[in-house]
Amino acid sequence: MQTTRGKLHPLKTALEIRSCDKLVDFYITVVPVKQSNTVLKIVRQAIPNDGGLDIQHLRRFAKLADLPPEVRATIAAARHVSPTITNTDTGEEEEGVGERVLLVGSINASTKDTLTELLAPVLETLALVVIQVPFLTPTSQEQATRWTARFWPTVYKKSNLFGPHPSLANRAMESIAGEVENWLGLAEEVAADAHEEGRGERVGVVVVERIEGVGRVLAVAADARWLDWPRETNGNVSAHAAMRGVGIVAVGLKAKENLKSDTLSASSASLPASIFRDEPIGETERAYFQPSDKKGYLCHELEIYCTHEPCVMCAMAIVHSRFGKLVFRRKMQRTGGVCADGELGHGLFWRKELNWTMLGWQWCPDGEDKDGEGAVDVNLNA
Amino acid sequence: MTSPVVTWPEDAASMSEGERDVHVRFMREALVMAELALKTNEVPVGCVFVHDGKVIGRGMNATNASHNGTRHAEFIAISEILSSSTPKHHPSILQKCDLYVTIEPCIMCASLLRQFGVRKVWFGGGNERFGGTGGVLDIHLSNGRELGDKGEQRRIESDYEVSGGWLREEAIVFLRRFYVSGNEKAPEPKKEKKERVLKLDVEPVVKRAKVDG
Ligand SMILES: [Zn+2]
Ligand SMILES: [Zn+2]
């Protein structure tokens, strides 16, 4: 179809974006290796259950040498000038030999006075200082490495509480990577048709079913908001491309059901007038309309390829329809409902509180002309 | 004192009895639609659109019959309004309509209502799972943007007002009756089973107390 190349970029979930920079203040203190168990015991009694915080991604003890320079500097300063130092020795000893730094606890979980009182009797030198540490578990190794260099030794657990599991997401990406350009090209084609014929905005989608690794188109749909509709409005909101894609798949399922059931076969005869544009319009849409052979539930685990990031309504429609994968080409910074890092920030493709999550990517073609011919008004609800 | 309502929503406090009765009457019409949905094995949500004090469109959930997960009551009602009257209503009529819906509009429908420019939404039960007018997101206000720490929300074009809690106990009882038997058409979602249960907290439904006087 097209010869341009591009790349799939996994979308970030709302939680991933919000967890990125969330830091909390923690006490740390230097502890002689020999006393580390004793001190940890005291800390655990003073702050049971780490004050309710999950800090499993943070190392409990760290070598001085493994800490970021800023943290080392803070510790060094505290050891020499801090009033909490009870038995200061000369400070000439070599830094860090036979010592560890303990992550004590959140400043909200205990007070400096309380901790000093408990720890001073067992620690010859007590330098309790406050540093910032990442609040949430990292979602990638790169993030963990970055946090380790900036804040505190952080462990990546090869799981992602804030988004799809990394290995699952990677496998899914590999399964579609070779076809993305093709499907998006088809979506571009119907979008251009609809635009040229004046029945819709230049937005299109392609719905694909994947069986044993092989993708097959079930429906192709372009925006049809201006079809039989007054121009001085937002258009027929129910005829956005994604809504139509879902609708056309549903008509396919319904037709299958009617074929099998004698009792229902009459019902399709006289459809009442409606605003829905659930039938394929134009040559390309009709050519590619092919109901699934499976008896599916809604759009369960299907893939949707969109020329533009769907609006809030369409994004939620895609969730309700239980799509498994979503790819779009052009991000709609102001009106998009899919991404978590746009102006709205909803990130509807993956939100824990909703009962369905899917994998999402933006496809970015190589080269300068990112939006190509398909750029639309920035305020458009695609 | 005459309306047989178990608990009044907050907004009712400042209303006259007559005014409250109007909203209760329309919500009852929406509940009739929800009951119809329940009888046809659909998630029991119903709605009516009111224009100039008259119901001009009705809708009920129809996702199972249509195999289309987007056929919520609000879509069905808007479709009816804009396609079945003669002469056809202009879409701008929706800007002069109030919607009465038994359960808070979901995020999708909240956006639909925003894009069609509906004037005001009255709902029964809140929707903690999908709600788009306060339950999960605030699509009715600034399209759900987070507006920072300022409590005051700037009203922008196509924002709409929302009032929840009208006959919510009855709306939620319908849902409970549906979900107890289970939406047999839906496969188990990826997540644990328990999350499928609508978490619509409702106080125990008190028997309607007839208040004397
Ligand atoms: Zn849309
Ligand atoms: Zn809805």
Side-chain angles (χ1 to χ4, degrees), chain A residues 203 223 225 237 239-243 309-315 335 380-382, chain B residues 111 115:
Chain A
V203 178
D223 188 283
R225 73 184 71 188
V237 185
H240 289 188
M243 301 304 289
E309 179 189 357
C311 73
V312 174
M313 172 188 69
C314 291
T335 59
L380 184 82
N381 279 292
Chain B
S111 174
Q115 294 186 51

Side-chain angles (χ1 to χ4, degrees), chain A residues 54-61 134 136-149 152-159:
Chain A
D54 182 1
I55 55 166
Q56 293 201 27
H57 57 292
L58 301 171
R59 293 227 185 269
R60 196 77 214 210
F61 288 100
L136 297 165
T137 193
T139 56
S140 67
Q141 184 55 54
E142 299 85 78
Q143 197 174 38
T145 308
R146 234 179 307 127
W147 286 353
T148 299
W152 182 265
T154 307
V155 191
Y156 171 55
K157 292 236 163 89
K158 290 209 179 63
S159 70

Side-chain angles (χ1 to χ4, degrees), chain A residues 245-268:
Chain A
V246 167
I248 293 172
V249 170
V251 164
L253 287 168
K254 184 85 189 165
K256 267 223 144 63
E257 180 186 88
N258 288 347
L259 275 180
K260 282 174 193 152
S261 151
D262 310 328
T263 49
L264 283 171
S265 56
S267 69
S268 61

Side-chain angles (χ1 to χ4, degrees), chain A residues 29-30 78 82 84-87 115-117 119-120 123-128:
Chain A
T29 190
V30 179
S82 167
T84 58
I85 293 171
T86 45
N87 294 314
L115 291 170
T116 307
E117 203 176 295
L119 295 174
L123 285 178
E124 226 173 274
T125 314
L126 177 66
L128 213 51

Side-chain angles (χ1 to χ4, degrees), chain A residues 320, chain B residues 72-75 105-110:
Chain A
H320 279 318
Chain B
H72 287 188
E74 296 91 332
F75 275 79
C106 73
I107 292 165
M108 171 183 74
C109 291

Side-chain angles (χ1 to χ4, degrees), chain B residues 9 11 17-18 21-22 44 57 82 91 96 101 107 116 137 145 152 155 171-172 185 191-192 200 208:
Chain B
D11 294 343
E17 211 179 293
D21 284 349
V22 168
L82 299 182
K96 294 178 210 115
V101 56
I107 292 165
F116 269 125
L137 294 174
R145 266 181 196 82
E152 191 93 348
R155 220 184 122 80
I172 289 167
K185 285 209 166 188
K191 297 187 183 173
E192 313 100 272
L200 291 160
R208 284 183 203 159

Side-chain angles (χ1 to χ4, degrees), chain B residues 141-196:
Chain B
L141 298 171
S142 304
N143 213 359
R145 266 181 196 82
E146 273 183 36
L147 293 174
D149 296 331
K150 283 187 187 168
E152 191 93 348
Q153 304 244 21
R154 196 166 55 90
R155 220 184 122 80
I156 63 168
E157 208 196 323
S158 58
D159 277 7
Y160 52 89
E161 280 180 45
V162 170
S163 175
W166 296 86
L167 302 184
R168 64 189 277 272
E169 291 85 355
E170 289 172 57
I172 289 167
V173 165
F174 278 147
L175 275 183
R176 287 219 169 132
R177 275 164 60 190
F178 180 80
Y179 277 104
V180 162
S181 53
N183 188 358
E184 75 267 15
K185 285 209 166 188
E188 286 301 311
K190 290 174 192 166
K191 297 187 183 173
E192 313 100 272
K193 214 173 181 177
K194 64 174 187 202
E195 286 191 48
R196 229 186 89 194

